[in-house]
Amino acid sequence: MSKTLLDKVWNAHAVCELPSGQTQLFIGLHLVHEVTSPQAFAMLRELGLKVKYPEQTFATIDHIVPTQSQQRPFADGLAEEMTQSLTDSCEEFGVTFYDLRSGQQGIVHVIGPEKGLTQPGMTIACGDSHTSTHGAFGTIAFGIGTSQIRDVLATQCLAISKPKTRKIEISGSLSEGVFAKDIILAIIHHLGVKGGIGYAYEYCGSAIEYLNMEERLTICNMSIEGGARCGYINPDETTIDYLRNREMSPKGDAFDRAAKYWKSVASDDTASFDDVFKLNGKDIEPMVTWGINPGQSVPVNQKIPSPSSAPEGEQNSYQEALDFMSFKGGESIKGTPINVAFIGSCTNGRISDLREAAKVVQGSKVANNIKALVVPGSMAVAAQAKKEGLDQIFSEAGFEWRQAGCSMCLAMNPDKLKGREICASSSNRNFKGRQGSPTGRTLLMSPSMVAAAAIAGEVVDIRSI
Amino acid sequence: MNDAKRNIISGRSIPLRGNDIDTDRIIPARYLRCVTFDGLGEHAFEDDREQDSNHPFNQDRYAGANILIVEKNFGCGSSREHAPQSLNKWGITGIVGESFAEIFFANCQAMGIPCLAVNHEDCQILLNASEANPSIKISMNIEDKSISLQELNINASLNDGSQRAFLEGTWNATAVLLKAENEICKIASSLPYLNDFSNV
């Protein structure tokens, strides 16, 4: 009987069937950050329980860290309290903590892969919806809430039902100026933000296989924006090459044995799926969101849709989005003036993202009155970028070069939009108020498109410059 | 008597129209700067309420309601349990809607808050009834998977596993998961990546 990767990984981690009919699923890697875990550690203390597998539990701080000065104590007393709380919990329960002093801090979904913690065939959980990111390595990775963090800390298990599987095949190859971000925005545009409910997404096809690991992380990162419980890509030679010589990867003979195992968890050629969706890579164009969820996007050269063209039942949502954005159906998204440009986040804050964006800004200047930020996803990304001189390129162009953190993706730190500002953003969510101003506006796009918008002062087509 | 058991949830309802209402809107991120869930109730939908004086959570006539009626894909986006925690602290003990984002649904279940799904037409009936008469009482019935609104009985859906967890009072999973101690160790000893890949 042929199996999908989901089948294989699920079976290997299924502890038992619970009376409820859900599976008790063993979690191989538990990642923890400062926002969603303090209450879970408190619950553990109340129950008098220990962390069951502290050696499989790793913590960092990312959401609340300031990106200008990371000197402790932080100016924000609440951020300081959360940081201290996580520091104390990690010490008390024996959890490895990549804090600011370690030199290894970063966004949790950036450091997991870069350290080699994330490996094919694992189950992964983290109290963060973008945990789906780790599926790029052929893992089954779930975002969970605080009560479930308590469950994983205490038992290394989750009570969870197995999702259905939708195969998303992107054939052909991408055109110049089209990136992984555009693939995932196009997928969500077609399938909608609720199309993935009940599913795990398997991304495959030649346009996916051709991507490097960092681009694959961008794709899987936004699975949750399409409503999917998780998303994954089958491990291949690209995956294995990436993991070779990573700090936490197996070494020597064990690596060879691991590589064999990793390849074996890929979906069988004849595996069957509950649903299949296909797109040709050559039909994907640079995408920009015009609305208040990541499915409300258009290719950069197309017009913003009017509510009358919305799918059945979505007319009100379209109107609400247009009203919030102060856009009109039929207008061009290209040429929309911006106030802020943000390059960073767990979606697009990796070294390859910064390299692509740096190519666009090199020798140019940020347009007048535009605030432009580059925020590396981790201390390691920042160090590599400096080694390559990317920080200089950005600084000379007029970008602010910041320190690692989630920054303006979600505004739990000082980096926030003001008033009605419009931000060209390489992040993952354009929800109302997401970037810190309740009335602020977000246009999601690839890092190269953000860089181009910063230079032009408005949304432009990366292919035309 | 197990206090954790959930079967009938009755009370007045509060209608909230709109698809894809995300958890950033339910509780803005600035209120996640905390180490307990205390005090989140007053900030539920704070930014939406600020921008719309007619927001149902601003209307006195819905004060004291405990059943929230929503439309499609409610609770999408961030996994923050702060969202259902803030609703619960506002007074919500059960939610009815056309569909729910999965992490939000799981967080609600882990807190003992049932989310029942109904079809579009029935959802509109419930929203309209609540808007027309906020003092009207409705009942969510977990065992029958139904909603009653006066003489009207509406079919609802809920996966069997969640239904059982609510009826038996086992929605707080930690105790249940702890029981499988031996099996957990057995799985851990079988996983290649926890055993230096020696068993590949």
Side-chain angles (χ1 to χ4, degrees):
Chain A
M1 177 83 179
S2 52
K3 292 187 173 70
T4 63
L5 180 143
L6 175 69
D7 295 329
K8 295 180 192 182
V9 175
W10 196 272
N11 293 347
H13 293 80
V15 172
C16 60
E17 187 179 330
L18 294 166
S20 65
Q22 289 184 303
T23 303
Q24 177 161 352
L25 194 72
F26 186 89
I27 298 301
L29 175 65
H30 188 194
L31 301 170
V32 171
H33 65 78
E34 77 283 8
V35 179
T36 55
S37 66
Q39 298 88 341
F41 282 116
M43 293 176 197
L44 213 59
R45 282 186 200 102
E46 259 172 50
L47 294 167
L49 295 169
K50 292 184 175 1
V51 173
K52 188 158 178 66
Y53 285 84
E55 66 280 13
Q56 293 304 112
T57 311
F58 297 86
T60 190
I61 54 168
D62 49 12
H63 288 61
I64 53 98
V65 292
T67 62
Q68 265 175 318
S69 166
Q70 296 188 330
Q71 194 69 38
R72 299 271 307 272
F74 299 140
D76 177 357
L78 294 172
E80 179 61 27
E81 186 186 1
M82 293 167 78
T83 306
Q84 195 54 48
S85 170
L86 183 57
T87 307
D88 295 345
S89 293
C90 288
E91 203 173 289
E92 178 184 345
F93 292 102
V95 171
T96 301
F97 182 27
Y98 298 119
D99 67 357
L100 291 166
R101 290 166 306 179
S102 70
Q104 303 174 77
Q105 170 267 347
I107 304 175
V108 65
H109 309 308
V110 175
I111 66 172
E114 81 186 7
K115 299 187 81 61
L117 285 167
T118 304
Q119 296 172 16
M122 282 182 166
T123 46
I124 300 179
C126 174
D128 191 283
S129 59
H130 292 112
T131 307
S132 59
T133 309
H134 304 266
F137 286 76
T139 72
I140 297 301
F142 296 114
I144 55 176
T146 298
S147 297
Q148 291 183 307
I149 297 173
R150 171 202 60 206
D151 293 344
V152 180
L153 289 172
T155 71
Q156 204 63 28
C157 293
L158 274 179
I160 193 164
S161 299
K162 188 179 174 186
K164 296 182 283 184
T165 320
R166 174 178 287 141
K167 179 176 173 172
I168 298 183
E169 190 178 335
I170 314 295
S171 57
S173 58
L174 300 180
S175 310
E176 189 72 23
V178 178
F179 299 93
K181 182 66 159 285
D182 302 305
I183 298 181
I184 189 64
L185 284 173
I187 290 169
I188 301 168
H189 173 79
H190 284 283
L191 294 173
V193 292
K194 31 195 175 287
I197 293 179
Y199 283 98
Y201 279 177
E202 174 174 315
Y203 305 99
C204 62
S206 56
I208 299 289
E209 288 161 20
Y210 183 74
L211 300 175
N212 67 37
M213 288 314 296
E214 298 195 349
E215 295 169 310
R216 294 180 189 188
L217 287 161
T218 300
I219 303 267
C220 291
N221 173 272
M222 291 186 70
S223 302
I224 186 70
E225 309 309 335
R229 195 69 183 81
C230 59
Y232 65 84
I233 294 170
N234 287 310
D236 58 11
E237 291 301 328
T238 305
T239 322
I240 292 164
D241 286 345
Y242 180 95
L243 283 164
R244 209 180 297 277
N245 300 322
R246 296 271 153 187
E247 182 192 340
M248 305 300 276
S249 293
K251 303 289 180 313
D253 292 347
F255 187 86
D256 298 330
R257 293 194 299 273
K260 188 177 148 201
Y261 172 68
W262 293 340
K263 277 197 249 184
S264 77
V265 300
S267 292
D268 298 329
D269 291 340
T270 51
S272 62
F273 296 84
D274 299 287
D275 192 38
V276 177
F277 173 76
K278 293 183 182 182
L279 210 53
N280 193 316
K282 75 170 167 41
D283 295 331
I284 300 174
E285 296 185 73
M287 300 292 286
V288 181
T289 61
W290 55 266
I292 55 170
N293 72 51
Q296 293 173 329
S297 64
V298 278
V300 64
N301 284 320
Q302 286 185 20
K303 306 289 185 213
I304 296 168
S306 56
S308 59
S309 67
E312 176 73 26
E314 293 294 324
Q315 284 86 355
N316 290 345
S317 299
Y318 272 43
Q319 191 60 56
E320 181 190 2
L322 291 173
D323 290 346
F324 183 82
M325 298 298 288
S326 295
F327 290 156
K328 287 192 180 65
E331 283 178 341
S332 191
I333 192 79
K334 196 165 68 181
T336 304
I338 64 158
N339 311 105
V340 178
F342 169 57
I343 296 173
S345 85
C346 60
T347 312
N348 282 125
R350 298 183 180 80
I351 190 68
S352 58
D353 298 312
L354 304 195
R355 285 180 190 139
E356 288 295 333
K359 277 189 217 165
V360 178
V361 305
Q362 186 153 30
S364 299
K365 292 279 180 205
V366 170
N368 285 341
N369 302 321
I370 305 285
K371 182 184 176 70
L373 295 183
V374 181
V375 187
S378 69
M379 288 180 165
V381 171
Q384 182 62 32
K386 281 187 178 170
K387 209 168 132 189
E388 297 177 22
L390 304 182
D391 59 327
Q392 285 301 317
I393 294 173
F394 285 114
S395 297
E396 281 163 19
F399 278 82
E400 295 176 36
W401 175 260
R402 296 294 188 86
Q403 297 177 70
C406 295
S407 184
M408 206 182 265
C409 174
L410 86 169
M412 283 190 65
N413 53 69
D415 303 337
K416 291 176 184 170
L417 294 184
K418 296 188 190 83
R420 288 289 281 157
E421 282 180 337
I422 297 189
C423 179
S425 181
S426 73
S427 57
N428 42 58
R429 288 186 174 138
N430 51 342
F431 297 156
K432 287 180 180 178
R434 172 74 180 183
Q435 292 190 288
S437 163
T439 54
R441 294 169 284 176
T442 304
L443 308 177
L444 301 176
M445 57 189 86
S446 71
S448 297
M449 285 278 284
V450 174
I455 304 300
E458 60 181 41
V459 176
V460 292
D461 185 343
I462 184 73
R463 296 167 300 185
S464 68
I465 58 169
Chain B
M1 178 67 192
N2 177 351
D3 286 343
K5 287 184 180 175
R6 303 275 186 278
N7 183 19
I8 310 284
I9 294 172
S10 298
R12 291 187 294 116
S13 61
I14 173 166
L16 185 64
R17 292 187 185 269
N19 295 335
D20 311 313
I21 293 178
D22 59 78
T23 53
D24 275 86
R25 286 171 67 182
I26 300 174
I27 185 81
R30 59 185 178 278
Y31 296 115
L32 273 54
R33 289 157 47 249
C34 56
V35 293
T36 75
F37 291 127
D38 299 340
L40 289 177
E42 61 187 287
H43 300 300
F45 294 109
E46 184 159 296
D47 292 344
D48 281 5
R49 294 166 69 179
E50 182 66 33
Q51 290 167 56
D52 175 11
S53 57
N54 277 328
H55 192 282
F57 279 67
N58 280 337
Q59 296 184 36
D60 289 342
R61 60 194 198 128
Y62 296 120
N66 62 312
I67 297 176
L68 178 63
I69 317 285
V70 297
E71 296 192 270
K72 292 192 187 91
N73 197 28
F74 185 73
C76 60
S78 162
S79 65
R80 61 190 71 171
E81 190 171 307
H82 305 66
Q85 290 280 358
S86 76
L87 294 176
N88 186 236
K89 286 180 168 50
W90 190 87
I92 300 299
T93 56
I95 311 181
V96 179
E98 279 189 60
S99 61
F100 303 93
E102 289 182 86
I103 302 177
F104 179 84
F105 180 95
N107 284 339
C108 285
Q109 178 171 329
M111 292 172 58
I113 301 173
C115 297
L116 290 183
V118 294
N119 69 31
H120 179 71
E121 288 70 28
D122 289 335
C123 191
Q124 295 305 311
I125 290 171
L126 290 166
L127 288 164
N128 291 337
S130 182
E131 285 166 349
N133 181 3
S135 63
I136 205 166
K137 284 206 170 183
I138 70 169
S139 271
M140 298 169 64
N141 187 317
I142 307 299
E143 190 163 20
D144 294 347
K145 296 187 185 177
S146 69
I147 318 283
S148 60
L149 166 69
Q150 294 175 314
E151 70 282 2
L152 195 65
N153 201 47
I154 291 169
N155 286 330
S157 61
L158 178 70
N159 73 74
D160 293 341
S162 298
Q163 181 193 35
R164 250 181 107 163
F166 286 122
L167 290 175
E168 293 173 0
T170 54
W171 41 266
N172 178 340
T174 305
V176 182
L177 296 172
L178 278 169
K179 284 183 192 160
E181 173 69 30
N182 292 338
E183 291 87 347
I184 294 171
C185 294
K186 215 170 124 190
I187 287 289
S189 63
S190 74
L191 288 169
Y193 60 86
L194 294 183
N195 297 280
D196 203 29
F197 297 93
S198 54
N199 53 352
V200 173

